[in-house]
Amino acid sequence: MTVVGIDDTDSRERGMCTTYAAATLAESIRNAGGTVERLLLVRLNPAVEHKTRGNAALAVHTDLDADTALGLAEDTLDMAETDDPRTNPGAIVADCDPEDVPPQVATFSRETIQSIQDPMAATSLADVVGFARCQRGNGRGLVGALAAVGAWAALSDWTYEHIAYREQDRWGTERTVDSETVRTAAEEYYPDVWDTVDRESGYPVCVPRTPCPILYGIRGDDPDACRAVAGAIDSEPIARRATFVTNQGTDVHLQDAAVDAVTADSAYRVTGDVIETPETRAGGHVFFTLEGDGATLDCAAFEPTKGFRDRVRSLRVGDRITACGEVSDGTLKLEKFAVRELVRTESVTPDCPDCGRSMKSAGRNQGYRCRDCETSADGKTEQSIERGLERGWYEVPPVARRHIAKPLVRGGFDAPTYPSR
């Protein structure tokens, strides 16, 4: 077997897409007499500054010999948008079965999903283990390419995405996709297929808004269901289709950590107590502070998370939660959170047992009294409060969800879930 990893062929402004490059490479492999066992779409650390939106690296698993595959990989890199100086593609070819890559390569894959890696480390490791490589520009794409090569051995939770590509003369133009057929198919195949439509806004999140070749991408746990949804969508002509095995929707980017151990440019799962009432700031962003392990961490639900912010606003001082998200500039950007413990009572000024009116302070440390009835109380009383939350997990809506974040509908969480559709 041979594994070909590629990355960084696209551009934020000029378009292209590394999934399209991988699909084209797979077609070239078949034309050369090889077979393709699978196409692997690997989402890497979402906190990388220079990434395009999804930070995807790709791998092709094939029986074609490594030398021929390397030549085809070289040709594939010629498709990259290298007129953009931020596009620096790379490809790595491994002459081994995907599950038998050296353990240090599998470790590198996991680390690239959870933290930022140096391109020189990727180059050195590829050379040490004897993998062939090629690049354009500074070769920064070798990081993702090597991570994609090692991903099959590194990870165990996989989902699927079926992608339809546009005819090339339509790239960069407005897409023609019938939203009603998307919504109908998404409803029929949910929850095997997820994050196709944002139910609250009605927006088809499977249709990108960038100038890339993708017409739509259907994600889910069942590849046949993904293809069935795609087959039910009315749209402009489709030039090519491909189904990818992917780590999307798995939360593999999250690291369990104490509050005092988080660092910038990685994503975490941390548990602590809310110590400040959530505050809505300019732009509609909602902030609060979490305390745990002797440290504090600001958390934020940004405006694009829409109704999720109401869940955050419902938190009170004293609630204990687990918060998940990327940390940058000292703030955790919420992707989901779990309520562990809720404050159920609050201290209130007592009411007079005779007239029912609220008592007044009798003076510093002297309790409360009703001046009309001359009744008194030693201090405040505890009163039950209604909460807009229950114990369990809450998440951002599909329109704001990162590719790699695990939708609650997939299950496997440690508390009840309240999925957002």
Side-chain angles (χ1 to χ4, degrees):
M1 287 289 290
T2 300
V3 184
V4 184
I6 59 173
D7 190 25
D8 203 19
T9 64
D10 54 349
S11 163
R12 294 178 186 175
E13 287 77 24
R14 301 179 64 87
M16 246 308 276
C17 173
T18 305
T19 72
Y20 182 81
T24 302
L25 173 59
E27 185 174 301
S28 297
I29 287 172
R30 296 184 185 104
N31 290 339
T35 60
V36 174
E37 182 171 336
R38 69 181 63 88
L39 289 169
L40 208 62
L41 194 171
V42 184
R43 299 291 179 181
L44 305 176
N45 180 9
V48 172
E49 182 180 3
H50 58 259
K51 70 178 177 67
T52 47
R53 182 171 179 265
N55 201 17
L58 279 293
V60 182
H61 297 173
T62 177
D63 63 355
L64 194 67
D65 68 274
D67 289 340
T68 303
L70 178 62
L72 296 177
E74 287 266 16
D75 294 340
T76 302
L77 293 193
D78 291 337
M79 300 172 59
E81 287 289 349
T82 51
D83 287 343
D84 185 337
R86 293 171 296 187
T87 300
N88 295 279
I92 287 180
V93 178
D95 187 8
C96 64
D97 288 343
E99 62 270 16
D100 292 331
V101 298
Q104 60 266 47
V105 176
T107 297
F108 182 85
S109 295
R110 288 189 291 269
E111 291 175 344
T112 307
I113 293 168
Q114 296 185 335
S115 59
I116 295 176
Q117 302 300 311
D118 185 271
M120 287 302 297
T123 301
S124 299
L125 179 54
D127 291 347
V128 165
V129 298
F131 292 170
R133 55 185 173 86
C134 54
Q135 67 184 67
R136 302 288 186 271
N138 64 26
R140 186 173 58 204
L142 291 172
V143 174
L146 184 60
V149 167
W152 191 249
L155 308 178
S156 58
D157 189 9
W158 297 102
T159 63
Y160 300 89
E161 180 167 7
H162 181 78
I163 298 179
Y165 297 99
R166 313 182 71 190
E167 295 178 332
Q168 191 163 356
D169 60 0
R170 294 176 181 264
W171 294 4
T173 65
E174 185 176 351
R175 291 168 173 82
T176 302
V177 178
D178 182 71
S179 297
E180 188 56 38
T181 59
V182 176
R183 284 189 285 269
T184 300
E187 191 68 29
E188 180 180 355
Y189 287 92
Y190 183 86
D192 290 332
V193 173
W194 31 260
D195 286 4
T196 309
V197 173
D198 184 270
R199 176 178 278 189
E200 182 175 345
S201 66
Y203 185 79
V205 295
C206 63
V207 181
R209 287 172 281 191
T210 60
C212 71
I214 293 177
L215 181 59
Y216 54 76
I218 309 300
R219 303 171 193 156
D221 287 287
D222 183 335
D224 291 332
C226 291
R227 285 187 282 264
V229 170
I233 295 173
D234 292 334
S235 71
E236 65 186 57
I238 294 169
R240 176 182 285 129
R241 297 178 181 270
T243 300
F244 296 84
V245 184
T246 174
N247 66 339
Q248 291 173 163
T250 64
D251 273 351
V252 70
H253 64 309
L254 296 176
Q255 305 173 64
D256 292 317
V259 175
D260 62 352
V262 304
T263 59
D265 301 326
S266 288
Y268 296 94
R269 188 185 292 110
V270 298
T271 299
D273 300 316
V274 177
I275 62 169
E276 289 184 2
T277 300
E279 174 190 10
T280 302
R281 299 181 186 173
H285 313 308
V286 181
F287 289 79
F288 66 93
T289 301
L290 200 65
E291 182 180 53
D293 311 292
T296 61
L297 178 65
D298 289 337
C299 299
F302 291 102
E303 189 279 333
T305 63
K306 304 302 179 185
F308 174 73
R309 294 171 298 163
D310 293 333
R311 304 295 194 184
V312 175
R313 291 186 184 102
S314 296
L315 292 169
R316 298 175 66 103
V317 172
D319 290 341
R320 186 165 184 82
I321 69 168
T322 296
C324 301
E326 169 198 332
V327 174
S328 62
D329 298 324
T331 299
L332 185 146
K333 304 174 182 178
L334 282 168
E335 297 172 7
K336 59 172 67 76
F337 70 90
V339 173
R340 303 303 187 185
E341 299 174 16
L342 283 173
V343 173
R344 297 288 188 179
T345 62
E346 63 180 350
S347 297
V348 297
T349 300
D351 293 332
C352 173
D354 293 339
C355 68
R357 289 192 291 268
S358 179
M359 292 183 174
K360 306 295 182 184
S361 174
R364 185 178 178 84
N365 298 322
Q366 296 183 51
Y368 296 85
R369 67 175 180 173
C370 177
R371 290 186 175 88
D372 294 334
C373 304
E374 297 186 354
T375 55
S376 62
D378 293 335
K380 291 188 173 183
T381 60
E382 291 297 309
Q383 175 179 287
S384 296
I385 53 177
E386 293 291 330
R387 298 300 307 270
L389 297 169
E390 297 293 338
R391 176 179 171 273
W393 285 94
Y394 298 87
E395 65 182 352
V396 302
V399 73
R401 185 145 40 238
R402 284 185 153 154
H403 299 289
I404 200 169
K406 184 177 181 178
L408 297 181
V409 71
R410 290 200 65 221
F413 292 87
D414 60 3
T417 59
Y418 305 95
S420 176
R421 294 181 60 184

